[in-house]
Amino acid sequence: MRSLCSKDTYDLIDKCDREAPEVASWSHDGLHFIIKDKGAFENDFLTRKYATFIRQVNKYGFRKINVKLEELGRIVLKGEEHFKHNNFRRGQRDLCKNVKRSHNKPAEQIDYKQENERLVAEITRLTNENKHLTVENNRLTDKVKFLSEQINAGAESSSTFAPGICPLDDFALDSRP
């Protein structure tokens, strides 16, 4: 294999999809490819070992997306491996020129870093919101306590209230002396 995403690799997946879709194929939406039978793929279509193919896939920024698909509720059959790269799509062979060997972190690590940053920001936001809600809760608890004390104090000074008179003057509709 000269280079993973030489157009030869694209053609290999395309050929499997047409001639042996039980071995390897494009996904229904064409946004990723699926290796369904590793042994047959290695024996019948690869010139090297399957493990070498996988190392190449990883070096060129492809991501194994089995877990992500399952999280989305899609069925992934046992033994299948789903791989995705934004520049490797059915019917868009010309995109292969954009697939370059990654000398930096694999695309999946970059995704994890971005997701981690998003989650840290969300945790910070929720922590701040929690602090504000705690302050508001304490303020309202103090207010309820104060109002309860006012009610109890009014009840002690008069065991019964005249109709229309409220011991909580702040809440009375009419102010009486």
Side-chain angles (χ1 to χ4, degrees):
M1 197 177 341
R2 290 181 293 247
S3 127
L4 174 72
C5 194
S6 66
K7 299 197 185 218
D8 296 338
T9 304
Y10 180 94
D11 292 340
L12 174 67
I13 299 300
D14 229 29
K15 179 180 178 181
C16 286
D17 190 62
R18 284 190 318 275
E19 297 176 10
E22 70 283 355
V23 174
S25 68
W26 292 104
S27 62
H28 292 292
D29 60 10
L31 298 178
H32 69 276
F33 69 91
I34 309 162
I35 305 299
K36 300 174 182 176
D37 183 339
K38 296 174 213 165
F41 187 67
E42 180 178 340
N43 294 332
D44 300 340
F45 294 96
L46 295 177
T47 57
R48 297 194 176 162
K49 296 284 184 193
Y50 183 75
T52 303
F53 174 78
I54 296 303
R55 276 194 298 278
Q56 289 291 312
V57 165
N58 291 330
K59 285 180 184 177
Y60 281 83
F62 283 76
R63 293 174 290 131
K64 186 175 176 182
I65 59 169
N66 289 29
V67 172
K68 193 173 272 189
L69 291 172
E70 289 170 343
E71 288 172 352
L72 293 171
R74 297 210 183 141
I75 296 172
V76 175
L77 299 177
K78 186 176 182 175
E80 286 185 348
E81 291 189 337
H82 296 246
F83 293 95
K84 180 176 182 163
H85 191 290
N86 289 335
N87 291 306
F88 198 82
R89 298 177 178 187
R90 179 181 57 215
Q92 297 181 14
R93 188 173 185 255
D94 60 310
L95 289 177
C96 288
K97 68 182 180 273
N98 300 321
V99 176
K100 307 283 185 213
R101 185 175 174 152
S102 175
H103 297 289
N104 300 330
K105 296 178 180 175
E108 190 171 336
Q109 287 181 344
I110 292 168
D111 287 348
Y112 287 137
K113 182 179 179 188
Q114 290 170 347
E115 180 67 3
N116 187 50
E117 289 170 357
R118 186 191 69 75
L119 290 172
V120 166
E122 181 71 3
I123 288 169
T124 301
R125 184 189 70 76
L126 290 171
T127 299
N128 289 335
E129 184 177 338
N130 187 39
K131 286 177 185 176
H132 292 296
L133 290 172
T134 299
V135 168
E136 179 68 7
N137 186 43
N138 290 339
R139 187 185 69 75
L140 291 172
T141 299
D142 290 344
K143 188 171 187 175
V144 167
K145 184 178 177 184
F146 172 77
L147 292 173
S148 288
E149 290 170 356
Q150 292 291 322
I151 290 171
N152 290 336
E156 289 174 6
S157 66
S158 169
S159 60
T160 59
F161 297 106
I165 298 178
C166 178
L168 300 173
D169 292 336
D170 292 344
F171 295 105
L173 294 176
D174 56 345
S175 57
R176 298 183 187 188

